[in-house]
Amino acid sequence: MTVIPRHGQAPEGRPGPGTGSGERPRPRPLKQAAALSVAALLLSGCGLSAELDREANPEREPTPGASRPEPADPAPPSGPGRPSDLSLGPDTPPAPAPSPPPCPESGVSMSPGMVTAAMGLRAMSVTLTNCGKGVRELNGYPDIRVRGLDRQLFDVTVLKGTEPVTTMDDPGPSRVKLRPGQSAYTSLVWRYSAVDASTKAGSGVYVEIGPAKGAARQTIEPDGGLDIGESGMLGTTAWQRSPDDAGAR
């Protein structure tokens, strides 16, 4: 006789759902969703532990014992023998300032100024600086001689004052005391005379100047020379204190 199984009953010889040792339950939808969520977290790289931490600490506050990034080492200071921030090699010390020229035995030094020209009139200042240790005193006019390119002496008339070359103001002789480092100046004036540009004939290339008559002279070379001619006139002013030292006594 054939037995017709009831609805929900397994045929004879086969275990029904939920009964017997060979039962295989179907996966429930909730378990499938949980498995898929875990797989998604693992595949996304976040990791299950990270997700659990996020759930337990939503504010992301640091926990005791949590590792913190180590502070970066401070940059080493620049200094001698260490590379600087702006160079690949050691710091280069600044070049030393050029040393001043040695002071002459007379204790004073002479330096020419720029030659100015206007309508045939020429003018140039000469500065005397006390480079010695004691106090120097000036009173009067400089002592001057002019030589050409061949060192030959010109027959130039040196005047005490500026007339008749020009009406430039001459303060006249007065005592000027110079302490070490202080200076005074005189002005030289002359009229242009024909000068041979090729041979410089008539040009006073070298000027020998001393503080006063009988004092040691020094040779200076004015820029461009003195186009005074070999028999011209050279006016001078008396020594006066340089403007930078005008308040000194």
Side-chain angles (χ1 to χ4, degrees):
M1 181 178 68
T2 303
V3 179
I4 300 174
R6 297 179 182 180
H7 179 72
Q9 182 179 1
E12 186 178 354
R14 296 182 181 179
T19 62
S21 59
E23 177 182 349
R24 288 188 177 180
R26 296 180 183 178
R28 296 179 181 180
L30 181 59
K31 292 183 178 181
Q32 290 179 346
L36 292 174
S37 299
V38 173
L41 289 173
L42 293 175
L43 291 175
S44 62
C46 296
L48 183 58
S49 61
E51 182 64 19
L52 293 176
D53 291 341
R54 188 179 298 109
E55 292 293 335
N57 190 5
E59 298 298 332
R60 307 301 294 170
E61 296 179 357
T63 58
S67 61
R68 296 181 180 178
E70 293 293 333
D73 293 334
S78 299
R82 297 186 69 101
S84 66
D85 293 337
L86 301 179
S87 64
L88 298 178
D91 292 338
T92 302
S99 57
C103 185
E105 293 182 2
S106 61
V108 297
S109 62
M110 302 281 188
S111 58
M114 296 289 293
V115 176
T116 60
M119 300 295 292
L121 180 65
R122 306 288 192 262
M124 182 187 74
S125 65
V126 178
T127 300
L128 178 153
T129 302
N130 180 5
C131 57
K133 297 180 179 180
V135 176
R136 303 285 172 174
E137 182 175 314
L138 303 173
N139 187 4
Y141 296 86
D143 182 35
I144 296 177
R145 294 191 303 187
V146 181
R147 296 182 182 273
L149 183 62
D150 55 0
R151 300 281 182 172
Q152 292 297 314
L153 187 64
F154 279 13
D155 187 16
V156 171
T157 302
V158 180
L159 307 171
K160 292 184 178 181
T162 59
E163 294 181 358
V165 177
T166 183
T167 57
M168 177 185 293
D169 185 29
D170 175 22
S174 63
R175 288 187 177 182
V176 179
K177 291 184 178 181
L178 301 178
R179 292 194 293 269
Q182 294 182 335
S183 60
Y185 74 96
T186 180
S187 296
L188 312 184
V189 292
W190 67 96
R191 293 285 176 177
Y192 167 78
S193 181
V195 174
D196 190 329
S198 59
T199 63
K200 292 188 177 181
S203 176
V205 177
Y206 306 102
V207 177
E208 298 173 351
I209 180 170
K213 188 73 173 180
R217 302 188 187 95
Q218 295 180 38
T219 301
I220 59 176
E221 299 181 32
D223 187 17
L226 274 61
D227 49 2
I228 191 173
E230 296 185 18
S231 58
M233 289 189 298
L234 181 65
T236 64
T237 62
W239 291 108
Q240 52 189 312
R241 193 179 302 276
S242 296
D244 293 342
D245 301 327
R249 291 290 183 269

